[in-house]
Amino acid sequence: MRIERDTLGEVRVPDAMLYGAQTQRAVDNYPVSGLREHPVFIHAFVILKKAAALANHETGAMPRKLAEAIANACDRIIGNSDLSFRKLVTRAKKGHTARIGDDDLRSVPYLVPPGYIASDFRDHFVVDVFQAGAGTSFNMNCNEVIANLANKALGGKVGSYKPLHPNDHINMSQSTNDAFPTATRLATLLLLRELFPALDGLIFAFDAKGEELADVIKSGRTHLQDAVPVTLGQEFHAWAAAVRRATKLLEDATDELRELGIGGTATGTGLNAPPGYRHAVVRYLSEMTKLALSSSLDLRESMQSQLPLVAVSAALRNLALELTRIANDLRLLASGPHAGLAEIALPAAQPGSSIMPGKVNPSMLECLNQICFHIISADAAVAFASQAGQLELNVMMPLMAFEILFSIAILKNFLPILTERCIRGITADRKRCEAYYTGSPALATVLNPLIGYERAAEVAKESVKSGTPIPELLRKKKMLSEEEISRIFTPAFLTGQADRE
């Protein structure tokens, strides 16, 4: 152990750790969940510290030697020096800016190491996700780790904070109050880069299955009762459309995250930040992340209000609502094999029972349901945290950051597996689907324009009572000609795919 000092006194810190006194106090004060910040959040915070060092150097507030040492330490932590201090400074002097398109979340490459930070440094970021308000504990965790790592490179001693100090240098021109929400927005954008391809893959799989099963006609169901026929293909295409729409709404919500409040410092007034700093930080962040970022029009608003995060959380909730609805539909259609609908069969993922041999459950969809339920409940936590902001600051940001990033992470981790191991392998029981629809009294609906609603209702009731298919009843009663029966009782006509003129 080593002895460090902060403004409250002495603190014992494990000698092998790069963090310092304030981080150790947080470890001692908040042993809440055992959960640590998501690696993408650590990554976002570290590149923000690098951008701040570059901006402070550019504005003349920090000597080149110290700024470069900070930037190099940050590169070591994230395990990527593709854009080194010298390269970024050279580009800035030549007037280069990031060339970013409108679709940068999908098409612009951003090279990061697996896991977002180098494995050697993961254990040095130890603050629990449930911590002091505003995220000061985690901000200082980052400041102390970067300071000690940079000082070691400059020949200094861990814990001495010379020549670089966590507050005076790593946190220069910043406050937790503008750094934490900025890092949260960056991390959310970066993690969404991984979610959108997973959603695209699910949409493609639904559409592909729709094409494959386009000719499988079946009974539609409304109110869980027989309804006019549809095809399995139409159902799968509709699910693809629903996920596509929810994805578009999520994409639209992310645009609000691109405005950053960094440079506002403690209350949004910019106190202690040099002129030009706020725009320089954002420029460097855009350069490093390939994200189209801008400085907020009102830095005070960006500190007080977390509405952009709420919008993303709500869009994630809406996506989860659609996904869980679709999962429930698939589970219902696959129910059986003898006492349910059993119109489709899901790929077997694992044995379904510890006591019933041969039982196979829709386990992949059940997992998706649980993920969606968590996302829906996480949005409620984000909503409560959002309204809890008071005056110049929302101190509930740590909860918001954790819930949003965790929701994105569990969804992006599982969707590719669901797509590959469940959706792509779905098969149809064509005979069962045909038997359901041909024997359904709902076929009488097509008779309304020909014989009227009341007579069609009588035919439907007799079909249910006698078990006789409706086309046979029509022939028996000679209510329609064979030509009319042949014309209207075809899959194409009944499912809206034929010309009805």
Side-chain angles (χ1 to χ4, degrees):
M1 305 292 284
R2 66 177 185 270
I3 303 297
E4 289 198 18
R5 293 170 180 80
D6 61 12
T7 56
L8 297 183
E10 292 187 348
V11 180
R12 290 170 59 84
V13 181
D15 198 43
M17 295 293 103
L18 289 171
Y19 58 77
Q22 293 199 46
T23 301
Q24 186 61 52
R25 288 191 189 278
V27 171
D28 296 338
N29 288 335
Y30 313 113
V32 181
S33 67
L35 298 172
R36 300 180 183 180
E37 298 291 359
H38 192 285
V40 74
F41 190 65
I42 300 172
H43 180 96
F45 236 105
V46 171
I47 62 173
L48 175 58
K49 297 298 179 179
K50 177 180 177 180
L54 285 156
N56 280 317
H57 169 64
E58 182 177 310
T59 59
M62 182 180 288
R64 179 187 179 100
K65 180 181 178 181
L66 299 185
E68 187 168 6
I70 293 172
N72 290 341
C74 292
D75 285 342
R76 286 188 61 192
I77 293 170
I78 64 175
N80 182 8
S81 57
D82 182 59
L83 285 175
S84 65
F85 176 89
R86 295 183 181 184
K87 185 183 293 185
L88 285 166
V89 169
T90 300
R91 288 173 63 84
K93 287 181 178 179
K94 292 182 177 180
H96 287 260
T97 57
R99 297 178 181 177
I100 300 167
D102 294 334
D103 57 349
D104 57 328
L105 279 181
R106 290 180 177 272
S107 64
V108 178
Y110 175 52
L111 301 177
V112 296
Y116 283 98
I117 60 173
S119 58
D120 294 349
F121 296 99
R122 182 68 184 92
D123 291 340
H124 297 277
F125 296 91
V126 293
V127 175
D128 199 282
V129 296
F130 295 93
Q131 57 186 278
T136 302
S137 300
F138 184 72
N139 183 33
M140 288 308 303
N141 190 171
C142 292
N143 290 337
E144 290 172 345
V145 170
I146 294 169
N148 278 320
L149 189 61
N151 284 332
K152 283 181 66 177
L154 294 174
K157 184 180 178 182
V158 171
S160 67
Y161 303 117
K162 297 177 181 179
L164 288 160
H165 190 276
N167 297 84
D168 295 337
H169 300 101
I170 317 303
N171 203 59
M172 179 183 284
S173 307
Q174 305 155 61
S175 163
T176 297
N177 302 352
D178 63 348
F180 201 97
T182 295
T184 301
R185 296 185 187 196
L186 287 173
T188 303
L189 288 167
L190 294 176
L191 204 56
L192 283 170
R193 269 182 167 150
E194 297 184 36
L195 176 59
F196 285 130
L199 287 167
D200 291 341
L202 179 63
I203 293 167
F204 180 84
F206 276 140
D207 271 332
K209 192 59 62 174
E211 294 297 321
E212 177 187 334
L213 304 177
D215 62 334
V216 182
I217 190 168
K218 49 162 285 182
S219 179
R221 295 179 182 88
T222 59
H223 302 264
L224 291 180
Q225 304 295 307
D226 293 3
V228 294
V230 296
T231 69
L232 266 177
Q234 288 171 326
E235 289 183 324
F236 275 92
H237 282 308
W239 293 328
V243 179
R244 187 178 294 110
R245 183 184 296 275
T247 300
K248 176 61 166 58
L249 293 174
L250 178 58
E251 286 182 306
D252 292 343
T254 63
D255 287 342
E256 297 297 322
L257 296 176
R258 300 175 185 278
E259 288 192 12
L260 307 179
I262 192 67
T265 63
T267 62
T269 63
L271 183 67
N272 289 351
Y277 166 83
R278 59 184 281 200
H279 296 291
V281 171
V282 172
R283 186 178 72 251
Y284 283 118
L285 286 173
S286 294
E287 193 81 16
M288 289 188 286
T289 64
K290 304 299 186 293
L291 289 168
L293 306 170
S294 64
S295 182
S296 294
L297 296 177
D298 192 319
L299 299 181
R300 293 162 295 279
E301 185 269 343
S302 292
M303 198 167 296
Q304 297 168 10
S305 172
Q306 299 306 317
L307 185 59
L309 291 175
V310 176
V312 170
S313 178
L316 286 168
R317 176 205 63 209
N318 293 338
L319 171 62
L321 289 170
E322 287 296 281
L323 289 175
T324 200
R325 175 184 67 81
I326 293 168
N328 289 337
D329 281 351
L330 288 167
R331 289 170 61 200
L332 188 59
L333 292 179
S335 59
H338 298 297
L341 298 182
E343 292 183 342
I344 63 173
L346 305 174
Q350 63 186 64
S353 174
S354 62
I355 189 173
M356 291 176 280
K359 192 172 189 290
V360 178
N361 298 331
S363 55
M364 302 297 285
L365 295 171
E366 291 165 347
C367 182
L368 177 62
N369 279 137
Q370 294 173 73
I371 290 169
C372 291
F373 298 161
H374 183 91
I375 293 171
I376 294 165
S377 62
D379 175 65
V382 171
F384 278 113
S386 171
Q387 60 81 40
Q390 297 168 322
L391 300 177
E392 274 63 61
L393 181 65
N394 188 315
V395 300
M396 304 302 173
M397 290 183 295
L399 176 65
M400 300 174 74
F402 167 70
E403 295 294 0
I404 290 176
L405 293 175
F406 189 75
S407 293
I408 297 171
I410 58 178
L411 195 58
K412 68 94 176 173
N413 288 344
F414 185 66
L415 284 185
I417 300 172
L418 173 80
T419 300
E420 187 61 34
R421 298 188 182 181
C422 181
I423 305 304
R424 294 187 189 279
I426 291 174
T427 58
D429 187 329
R430 293 173 179 266
K431 289 184 178 180
R432 186 180 287 260
C433 289
E434 182 179 0
Y436 281 152
Y437 107 82
T438 56
S440 172
L443 289 180
T445 304
V446 78
L447 302 177
N448 288 352
L450 302 173
I451 63 175
Y453 180 88
E454 292 187 2
R455 293 184 68 194
E458 291 176 2
V459 171
K461 290 178 183 179
E462 186 171 347
S463 175
V464 172
K465 185 176 181 180
S466 66
T468 305
I470 284 176
E472 291 186 25
L473 281 177
L474 294 173
R475 291 188 181 95
K476 181 179 178 181
K477 293 177 176 294
K478 298 182 179 179
M479 299 178 72
L480 293 177
S481 67
E482 188 62 38
E483 181 182 359
E484 288 177 308
I485 293 173
S486 299
R487 179 177 66 86
I488 63 176
F489 289 100
T490 62
F493 187 90
L494 292 172
T495 59
Q497 301 177 77
D499 183 3
R500 290 193 169 132
E501 293 298 328

